[in-house]
């Protein structure tokens, strides 16, 4: 084998590494890998364990996602009509089938766990910056034995907003966010393939390093025929589960 052919053959078998210089490079790599593959709509059931001090409460939730910016959570039986409808910038509480309250507080995770792939890349980067992550910073560490990028921090102990991304699959596996005197920590585990993309099936939430909630998903299904009207809080529709 001559030197030229050997060089080409070597390129075919050696792993291809791209050096990440900052958080923006990681976001662009996530986007390049997943943007054309991510599901637009998903439904799943969820066992939710809620911890408040020594008290534990278990509920069944039914969730519907419509990317890029809609999430609906039905608590308990659909006949009860108790739901939360969320967007990136608003949360609506439905009680007994009627709109009880609305607040200008959204859910960043709708965007970070999939919605980000449905915007142009420049807009995605701008939104992540607006959410409070410093994309000029990047470090590396491990989580449960897996290699991760840490976007937004020079090291894992820095008390700043952080996004932890699995280096191999480029999935979000942890979010740390500081709001005033509150540290919110969410760990996303047990990813499974769903269509051409993937979804986490376990989420562990802590506040100020105290366990607050554990979510375990099951019956995860793509929902290409989902009715967008179920996300309208002012014309509430019950859905069967």
């Amino acid at each position: 084998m001559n030197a030229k052919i050997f060089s080409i053959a070597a390129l075919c078998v050696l792993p291809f590494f791209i050096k990440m210089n900052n958080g923006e490079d990681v976001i662009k790599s996530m986007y390049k890998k997943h943007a054309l593959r991510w599901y637009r709509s998903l439904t799943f059931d969820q066992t939710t364990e809620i911890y408040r001090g020594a008290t534990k409460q278990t509920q069944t939730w039914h969730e519907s996602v419509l990317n890029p910016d809609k999430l609906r959570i039905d608590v308990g039986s659909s006949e009860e009509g108790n739901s939360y409808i969320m967007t990136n910038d608003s949360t609506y509480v439905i009680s007994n089938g009627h709109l009880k309250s609305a607040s200008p507080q959204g859910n960043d995770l709708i965007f970070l766990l999939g919605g980000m792939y449905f915007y142009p890349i420049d807009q995605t980067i701008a939104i992540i910056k607006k959410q409070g992550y410093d994309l000029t910073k990047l470090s590396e560490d491990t989580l449960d034995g897996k290699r991760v990028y840490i976007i937004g921090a020079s090291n894992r102990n820095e008390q700043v907003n952080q996004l932890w991304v699995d280096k191999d699959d480029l999935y979000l596996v942890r979010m740390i966010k500081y709001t005033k005197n509150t540290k919110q920590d969410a760990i996303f585990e047990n990813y499974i393939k769903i269509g051409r993309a993937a979804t986490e099936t376990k989420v562990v939430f802590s506040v100020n390093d105290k366990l607050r909630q554990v979510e375990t998903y099951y019956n995860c299904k793509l929902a290409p025929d989902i009715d967008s009207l179920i996300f309208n809080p002012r014309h509430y529709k019950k859905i069967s589960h």
Side-chain angles (χ1 to χ4, degrees), residues 37-224:
R37 297 172 175 268
W38 212 259
Y39 55 82
R40 187 167 188 83
S41 50
L42 180 73
T43 60
F44 55 92
D45 300 315
Q46 174 180 302
T47 299
T48 306
E49 299 170 348
I50 302 170
Y51 296 85
R52 297 295 182 268
T55 303
K56 173 185 172 182
Q57 180 184 8
T58 302
Q59 298 179 344
T60 299
W61 293 3
H62 310 278
E63 302 205 18
S64 305
V65 177
L66 181 60
N67 282 315
D69 60 359
K70 294 179 177 61
L71 169 67
R72 171 168 165 159
I73 301 172
D74 295 307
V75 180
S77 169
S78 59
E79 293 302 315
E80 298 172 10
N82 298 322
S83 307
Y84 298 92
I85 296 176
M86 303 178 188
T87 66
N88 290 332
D89 59 10
S90 301
T91 297
Y92 304 88
V93 179
I94 311 295
S95 180
N96 296 319
H98 300 284
L99 179 61
K100 180 180 179 181
S101 66
S103 64
Q105 181 178 357
N107 186 330
D108 289 354
L109 291 179
I110 303 173
F111 174 83
L112 293 171
L113 290 171
M116 61 179 281
Y117 301 119
F118 293 85
Y119 296 92
I121 182 60
D122 290 347
Q123 188 175 355
T124 287
I125 289 171
I127 291 171
I128 293 173
K129 289 179 179 178
K130 187 177 179 180
Q131 289 181 350
Y133 300 95
D134 184 350
L135 298 189
T136 67
K137 288 185 176 182
L138 181 68
S139 55
E140 298 184 16
D141 212 303
T142 60
L143 179 66
D144 295 331
K146 294 184 178 181
R147 301 176 304 162
V148 296
Y149 296 112
I150 303 179
I151 297 171
S154 301
N155 60 74
R156 68 187 299 157
N157 296 318
E158 190 175 0
Q159 295 185 4
V160 293
N161 296 345
Q162 303 175 20
L163 297 174
W164 294 35
V165 177
D166 183 284
K167 288 188 68 172
D168 296 321
D169 295 319
L170 295 178
Y171 300 144
L172 182 68
V173 293
R174 190 177 192 183
M175 179 200 76
I176 298 174
K177 192 158 190 180
Y178 292 86
T179 306
K180 295 182 180 179
N181 296 321
T182 301
K183 175 188 176 185
Q184 301 175 63
D185 190 340
I187 296 177
F188 311 98
E189 302 178 319
N190 300 348
Y191 271 85
I192 62 169
K193 288 291 184 181
I194 189 85
R196 299 173 65 204
T199 182
E200 75 285 356
T201 58
K202 183 179 180 182
V203 186
V204 179
F205 291 101
S206 299
V207 175
N208 294 334
D209 298 319
K210 294 182 179 180
L211 180 64
R212 296 298 295 271
Q213 191 160 298
V214 178
E215 302 177 355
T216 304
Y217 304 174
Y218 56 100
N219 293 336
C220 300
K221 299 175 184 177
L222 296 177

